[in-house]
């Protein structure tokens, strides 16, 4: 780097300062190592997957029990970060997961909660509507309610991690695109950009949808950057309080066609709208450098028509933006050590449900970079699971 305050040699360089890189930088700085975080864009850019107001944290994970160890580490991490922050990071809203008794969402959430000892309730339709008046579910619907689920404030969380890392001695460089990562003399790694170069002992690669450009043979064939819209819908004025924290939980809803909708409450009556989006609909491949199409009117109406029977107080008017999911084929994470470039560890392909894991995954990345192993078993997320054999 041209900045003379930045040392030319580091123990670890973190490339990409979205939520995973920010968490990794924080955990590395806490261990007292010389660490540099490099970001190609600005601190609050909206080109990746970490920006925005809010995210859901839940542990009654319908996707499977293999996520629970990372979720437990992350839950403790979010509470710690919130306690140390000037801004609100986490609010306990509770989480409601609604569908038919046979839905994958309800069955999976309940199974994980029971087997992992996660506090929860199993609610029938009348109890859902009585407790949460914004919801009007069908008589045959059921829900799993997790009282300790959280609403996370995304931008606040990332900036707090970065601020704490800087206070602990980490160096941060914005607007610096990394052009190459290569093994140098003596086994050290050399990181190069435009008119700058640093060396380090290990690299944490946390670049989201750009990961295929750094590991083209190893990871690029396993991931697909996808565009997905997310919306902020207006709520009928007379019913706004029913859609705010305290009366409205973070939720997932699965309809009979398998469409999965997520939503988060309004933080305050006089602020913004209700955040809603499909998790498994309206996804389309994108060019990560150039494709930032806004949501189409038909996409917004499709979501509203899906959720309006359940949330009749939500108006059809709303605003949308396009976000990025980095998808793997099985919609799970890729965490590991690179086989292409010795000394590189990475996490990507969060597949639209990774933000909540940032405290745990950041700690894992720091441990892999410094110790070569992690205290949390992440073998379920190794890319080798996706190896396929062609069948003639």
């Amino acid at each position: 780097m041209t900045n003379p305050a930045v040392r030319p040699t580091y123990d670890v360089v973190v490339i990409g300062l979205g939520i995973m890189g920010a968490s990794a930088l924080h955990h590395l700085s806490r261990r007292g190592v010389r660490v540099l975080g490099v970001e190609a864009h600005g601190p609050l850019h909206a080109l990746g997957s970490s920006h925005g107001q809010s995210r859901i944290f839940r542990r009654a994970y319908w996707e499977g029990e293999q996520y629970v160890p990372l979720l437990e580490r992350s839950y403790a991490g979010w509470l710690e970060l919130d306690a140390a922050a000037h801004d609100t990071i986490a609010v306990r809203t509770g989480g409601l997961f609604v569908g038919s008794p046979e839905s994958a969402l309800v069955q999976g959430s309940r199974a994980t909660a029971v087997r992992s000892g996660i506090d929860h309730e199993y609610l029938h339709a009348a109890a859902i509507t009585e407790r949460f008046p914004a919801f009007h579910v069908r008589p045959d619907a059921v829900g799993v309610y997790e009282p300790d689920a959280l609403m996370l404030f995304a931008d606040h969380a990332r900036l707090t991690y970065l601020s704490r890392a800087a206070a602990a001695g980490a160096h941060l460089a914005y607007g610096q695109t990394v052009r190459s990562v290569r093994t140098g003399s003596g086994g050290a790694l050399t990181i190069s950009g435009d008119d700058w170069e640093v060396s380090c002992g290990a690299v944490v690669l946390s670049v989201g949808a750009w990961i295929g450009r750094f590991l083209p043979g190893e990871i690029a064939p396993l991931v697909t950057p996808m565009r997905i819209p997310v919306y902020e819908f207006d709520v009928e004025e007379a019913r706004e309080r029913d859609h705010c924290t305290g009366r409205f939980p973070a939720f997932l809803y699965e309809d009979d066609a398998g469409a999965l909708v997520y939503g988060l409450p309004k933080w305050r009556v006089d602020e913004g709208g209700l955040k809603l989006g499909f998790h498994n609909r309206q996804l389309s491949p994108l060019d990560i450098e150039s494709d930032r199409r806004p949501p189409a009117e038909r996409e917004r109406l499709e979501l509203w028509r899906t959720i309006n029977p359940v949330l009749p107080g939500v108006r059809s008017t709303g605003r949308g933006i396009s976000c990025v999911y980095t998808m793997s084929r099985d919609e799970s994470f890729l965490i590991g050590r690179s086989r292409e470039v010795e000394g590189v560890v990475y996490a990507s392909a969060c597949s639209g449900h990774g933000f909540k894991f940032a405290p745990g995954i950041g700690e894992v990345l720091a441990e892999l970079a410094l110790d070569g192993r992690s205290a949390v078993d992440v073998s379920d997320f190794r890319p080798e699971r996706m190896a396929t054999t062609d069948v003639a």
Side-chain angles (χ1 to χ4, degrees):
M1 298 294 176
T2 56
N3 184 346
V6 177
R7 283 180 264 185
T9 301
Y10 294 88
D11 298 309
V12 184
V13 173
V14 178
I15 304 175
L17 296 179
I19 190 60
M20 297 302 176
S23 174
L25 194 75
H26 164 73
H27 284 289
L28 288 161
S29 67
R30 289 176 71 173
R31 293 184 59 172
V33 300
R34 294 173 299 165
V35 59
L36 168 69
V38 184
E39 169 59 53
H41 305 285
L44 285 174
H45 76 85
L47 300 175
S49 304
S50 296
H51 63 283
Q53 182 183 20
S54 55
R55 299 291 193 279
I56 298 171
F57 180 89
R58 54 193 168 88
R59 289 180 293 166
Y61 221 61
W62 73 270
E63 293 90 336
E65 295 170 67
Q66 69 272 25
Y67 294 94
V68 171
L70 273 176
L71 286 165
E72 295 293 355
R73 292 288 280 271
S74 296
Y75 183 60
W78 287 126
L79 296 183
E80 177 193 0
L81 191 68
D82 183 64
H86 297 294
D87 295 316
T88 300
I89 301 296
V91 175
R92 189 174 275 104
T93 61
L96 180 66
F97 318 125
V98 179
S100 71
E102 298 78 26
S103 63
L105 172 63
V106 168
Q107 289 197 347
S109 298
R110 193 180 190 189
T112 297
V114 169
R115 293 170 185 163
S116 301
I118 296 164
D119 188 19
H120 71 287
E121 298 177 63
Y122 189 67
L123 302 177
H124 293 280
I128 293 171
T129 301
E130 180 180 1
R131 187 177 300 187
F132 308 112
F135 288 81
H136 288 252
V137 300
R138 297 182 344 188
D140 60 341
V142 294
V144 175
Y145 178 64
E146 179 188 340
D148 291 331
L150 307 171
M151 177 169 67
L152 305 172
F153 289 89
D155 282 338
H156 290 176
R158 186 161 56 91
L159 292 176
T160 300
Y161 266 141
L162 294 171
S163 177
R164 295 188 76 192
H171 291 146
L172 284 70
Y174 287 99
Q176 301 291 343
T177 299
V178 173
R179 301 299 182 187
S180 72
V181 179
R182 65 188 189 277
T183 303
S185 60
L189 289 161
T190 300
I191 318 299
S192 300
D194 297 325
D195 303 319
W196 62 267
E197 188 173 275
V198 297
S199 61
C200 61
V203 165
V204 171
L205 195 58
S206 51
V207 293
W210 285 270
I211 192 168
R213 306 214 171 163
F214 288 87
L215 301 174
E218 184 175 353
I219 301 298
L222 307 180
V223 302
T224 305
M226 304 290 278
R227 166 197 174 270
I228 187 166
V230 61
Y231 306 87
E232 191 176 85
F233 278 91
D234 298 319
V235 176
E236 292 178 6
E237 186 174 351
R239 305 189 64 178
E240 280 192 306
R241 292 191 180 277
D242 288 341
H243 296 78
C244 290
T245 53
R247 295 172 64 85
F248 190 96
F251 78 90
L252 299 174
Y253 164 70
E254 184 177 343
D255 73 5
D256 288 343
L260 191 62
V261 178
Y262 65 88
L264 294 112
K266 288 167 60 73
W267 176 223
R268 295 183 178 91
V269 171
D270 58 348
E271 285 189 16
L274 195 70
K275 181 178 177 179
L276 298 169
F278 281 116
H279 174 66
N280 60 352
R281 295 287 190 275
Q282 300 183 352
L283 288 147
S284 58
L286 63 77
D287 182 325
I288 192 62
E289 298 294 350
S290 61
D291 188 357
R292 290 297 184 271
R293 290 166 290 140
E297 178 71 2
R298 59 175 176 75
E299 292 175 313
R300 183 183 60 78
L301 288 174
E302 180 189 14
L303 176 59
W304 180 75
R305 288 167 181 151
T306 300
I307 202 62
N308 180 247
V310 180
L311 296 174
V314 175
R315 293 175 173 169
S316 61
T317 54
R319 299 149 296 283
I321 60 172
S322 293
C323 294
V324 178
Y325 278 12
T326 309
M327 301 293 292
S328 67
R329 290 197 294 268
D330 61 2
E331 300 184 14
S332 191
F333 310 150
L334 300 174
I335 303 173
R337 304 184 66 84
S338 173
R339 300 187 308 274
E340 286 187 48
V341 186
E342 183 68 27
V344 171
V345 300
Y346 59 81
S348 188
C350 290
S351 301
H353 63 115
F355 192 104
K356 64 181 70 64
F357 291 87
I361 290 179
E363 187 173 5
V364 164
L365 288 171
E367 291 171 342
L368 290 175
L370 295 178
D371 308 327
R373 63 186 184 281
S374 167
V376 176
D377 181 7
V378 292
S379 58
D380 284 327
F381 310 118
R382 295 174 61 190
E384 287 81 4
R385 73 182 187 277
M386 300 173 68
T388 58
T389 302
D390 292 334
V391 179

